[in-house]
Amino acid sequence: ADGSIEFVASDETVDRSGESIPASSWDLTNYLKSPRLLVDHDYRVESIVGIADKTRVEGKELKFTPKFHEITELAKTVAQMVIEGVLDTVSVGFMRNQDEKGNVKNELMEISFVAVPANPNARMLAVKSIDADETKAIEAFLKSSVKSSVCAGGRYDNIIEAFLGKGKYPAVGVSFGVD
């Protein structure tokens, strides 16, 4: 088990802007040198929340696995929102290039976590199963980003769907703790 979360950044669906990006047109050459993950297409350095690992075209989908850093509060917040299934959508920033023969290549510039993506299929696919060491690493990460808590809770509908792979199941969780 690798404990990773996989996303579709783009597919060939006609998006809310009325365009469709053929998977074969993606140019990842420059992006793979610095595969930045941003928030809301904000190109400022403080909006970098991690890297897009394993970015690739697979079939008719552009996919990646997010790797969050632990440097800024924004990155910690986004990571926790993704882990809890609250934030499960992304959007791509790209530059359309056309050569003299009319061939189009779309250079991927960045991938951003967004509340509403142009492509409705640009979202989290699944949380892959994790082993005991990975569970400890996640717990350590969450402890480092939460100052103290007496009570916490939330909805986990999307995370259950990710594990089971079908249907939505209403679910809530709650925890109590004493430091």
Side-chain angles (χ1 to χ4, degrees):
D2 67 6
S4 61
I5 300 170
E6 189 171 58
F7 277 79
V8 170
S10 180
D11 66 7
E12 296 185 354
T13 300
V14 176
D15 67 19
R16 292 179 173 102
S17 301
E19 65 182 348
S20 173
I21 303 171
S24 61
S25 73
W26 282 112
D27 177 3
L28 306 179
T29 307
N30 291 326
Y31 182 74
L32 293 175
K33 295 174 186 174
S34 299
R36 308 259 194 271
L37 285 177
L38 305 177
V39 174
D40 295 326
H41 300 292
D42 184 345
Y43 283 49
R44 293 178 299 161
V45 171
E46 57 264 24
S47 294
I48 299 171
V49 295
I51 63 167
D53 194 31
K54 302 175 187 169
T55 305
R56 70 213 181 273
V57 173
E58 194 175 283
K60 294 185 177 198
E61 297 175 323
L62 175 63
K63 294 182 176 180
F64 74 97
T65 300
K67 300 288 181 190
F68 299 98
H69 67 69
E70 298 182 29
I71 300 167
T72 64
E73 287 304 312
L74 177 62
K76 291 175 185 179
T77 299
V78 170
Q80 190 161 356
M81 291 173 75
V82 169
I83 289 167
E84 292 185 16
V86 174
L87 179 58
D88 65 350
T89 50
V90 295
S91 181
V92 293
F94 64 97
M95 185 180 311
R96 186 174 307 265
N97 298 306
Q98 188 170 356
D99 66 19
E100 61 280 346
K101 295 179 183 176
N103 298 316
V104 174
K105 281 292 187 187
N106 292 296
E107 180 182 354
L108 181 62
M109 306 294 286
E110 52 87 10
I111 300 172
S112 284
F113 287 95
V114 296
V116 180
N119 182 330
N121 294 328
R123 59 186 338 109
M124 182 168 47
L125 284 177
V127 179
K128 297 177 182 174
S129 62
I130 58 176
D131 61 27
D133 289 337
E134 292 162 335
T135 299
K136 288 178 187 172
I138 291 169
E139 287 172 351
F141 172 77
L142 292 176
K143 284 179 183 174
S144 73
S145 64
V146 176
K147 303 302 179 219
S148 75
S149 177
V150 175
C151 174
R155 294 205 54 94
Y156 298 95
D157 303 15
N158 294 332
I159 204 82
I160 291 173
E161 179 181 13
F163 280 113
L164 297 178
K166 56 185 174 192
K168 286 202 181 239
Y169 297 89
V172 295
V174 66
S175 66
F176 296 93
V178 177
D179 267 346

